[in-house]
Amino acid sequence: MEYDDIHYVNSDGVVRYTNPDKNREGRVHPGTEKKIVYKYVPQAFLKAYVAAWSNLDTPYFLIIEEINRGNCAQIFGDLFQLLDRNNAGSSSYAIHADEDISQFLSSDNKGFAALSDEQKDAIRAFELHKDNGKTQAVGQNILDGKLLLLPPNLYIWATMNTSDQSLFPIDSAFKRRWNWKYMPIEYNPLDKKTQQPIDWKFQIGDNLYSWGQFLGKINPEIYTLTESSDKQMGYFFAKADNATGIISEDVFLNKVLFYLWTDVFKDFDVSSELFKNKKANRSFRFTDFFEDSEALGNFIDNLDLNSIEPVNLAMTEDGISRLSVKFPDGTILNTGNMIDIYTRTLERIGLDMVFSVLADRKKGIYPLITKEQIAIENPGSKRRYKKVGDYYLLVGPDTYPYAGIINELSSLLSIDLNAEFE
């Protein structure tokens, strides 16, 4: 809907436009009314195209994420031919714009119509230098919207994940118009901001293991089975808790192992020793990890990963917890051991409210909070249930992610808590 001039067809067949005039109440009528209009609406490509031509001294980037998720031939259409670049960086040759794009570029204020005289002159002066040494004065036709040509300062970058099962293949004619750079899996990545190593761990029972070491063990097995790198996992396939840098057992089981057994191994005979359930004298099935409490630990033992000594994040030398929880009213809980602080924090929030949002959350196979006593099947586990009021809270060793659970509650309940290790 836009304001447009009011007009009518006179008896002589001539279109007449109303002029602003005083109506009966003495007010001046603007001579316009809101009408449905049809016009070309620019999207990402044309916005980048206009911006680049408007300032030829500044680089502009059009970023296309997951380019292999769509039909490239349909998405690019005639623009496909502009991807051929010459030595100067512009398109090797121009193409004729269709009528809609041409009209938009030449007459719309979001196109070239609102540019300053200096900007228009810069476009007019542009010459296409072909690789054969010839030049072509195309600037005026570009400004008029008659021709389309990618300027040398417009870069198109795209990403694609070869492991995705793309709906549409990318043919070789499209591929050869791009420069390609393979990004290998990083098993010891650096934080892009701090340049410090990202050293995530994952937790199984009461033990921590190196996430990078696990990937270094499992990815060669994936390649051996599938004879392809496409199904291998990258470092950020699973996400660690921000506060602890630990991938929980629940995430490891229901995301990592679920992916392996339902997507990677589904068409292959997983018969190597790494995947052998020695207790059942056969290969592991995904359901084993839910039916047998020892299965997950036995699978990790097969991989021969080095267990990392749990870092005592909970206690200082004088036995006082390093966990600190700050409430919106300024109250800070940081004295006593970690389990006490965790318990008092949940009590202060309200156990009924905590149960309402965490009733379905589990640590491994055990609920974080329950109304009934649950037996811990593994006698060697440091986990246990602590009775608090009418509820039982799952508590564990010093490495238990109490801070992560409290901060998640803060987000779910919008109560602005802050839990951290001092």
Side-chain angles (χ1 to χ4, degrees), residues 19 80 113 127 143-144 213 225 266 291 341 347 376 402:
N19 295 318
F80 171 85
E127 291 184 340
L143 184 63
D144 293 339
Q213 187 185 17
L225 277 172
K266 63 180 181 179
E291 297 169 353
I341 293 176
E347 285 184 298
I376 302 296
Y402 295 109

Side-chain angles (χ1 to χ4, degrees), residues 85-93 125-138 149 152:
R85 303 270 188 147
N86 60 22
N87 293 332
S90 68
S91 297
S92 295
Y93 51 89
F126 184 85
E127 291 184 340
L128 174 58
H129 293 269
K130 299 185 177 181
D131 291 341
N132 61 9
K134 295 182 179 180
T135 61
Q136 180 182 358
V138 295
L149 181 123

Side-chain angles (χ1 to χ4, degrees), residues 116-151:
S116 66
D117 291 339
E118 183 179 359
Q119 290 172 309
K120 291 180 178 179
D121 288 341
I123 298 175
R124 288 192 187 98
F126 184 85
E127 291 184 340
L128 174 58
H129 293 269
K130 299 185 177 181
D131 291 341
N132 61 9
K134 295 182 179 180
T135 61
Q136 180 182 358
V138 295
Q140 186 61 54
N141 284 332
I142 291 171
L143 184 63
D144 293 339
K146 295 178 180 178
L147 294 179
L148 293 177
L149 181 123
L150 300 185

Side-chain angles (χ1 to χ4, degrees), residues 187 214-226 232:
Y187 295 106
F214 168 76
L215 293 176
K217 291 268 189 177
I218 203 69
N219 276 339
E221 291 296 321
I222 294 174
Y223 184 85
T224 299
L225 277 172
T226 65
Q232 292 180 325

Side-chain angles (χ1 to χ4, degrees), residues 149-222:
L149 181 123
L150 300 185
N153 63 325
L154 177 57
Y155 299 87
I156 303 178
W157 288 4
T159 66
M160 65 179 291
N161 191 340
T162 56
S163 65
D164 288 334
Q165 297 176 3
S166 303
L167 300 177
F168 302 96
I170 298 179
D171 62 35
S172 57
F174 186 81
K175 286 180 179 178
R176 67 179 175 81
R177 286 170 164 82
W178 297 78
N179 293 325
W180 292 78
K181 182 178 181 181
Y182 177 71
M183 307 298 290
I185 294 172
E186 297 182 84
Y187 295 106
N188 299 287
L190 297 178
D191 186 289
K192 296 297 187 288
K193 293 182 180 179
T194 66
Q195 293 302 304
Q196 296 300 310
I198 299 174
D199 188 19
W200 285 353
K201 314 291 191 301
F202 68 97
Q203 185 170 1
I204 303 297
D206 297 327
N207 297 315
L208 294 178
Y209 301 90
S210 167
W211 172 240
Q213 187 185 17
F214 168 76
L215 293 176
K217 291 268 189 177
I218 203 69
N219 276 339
E221 291 296 321
I222 294 174

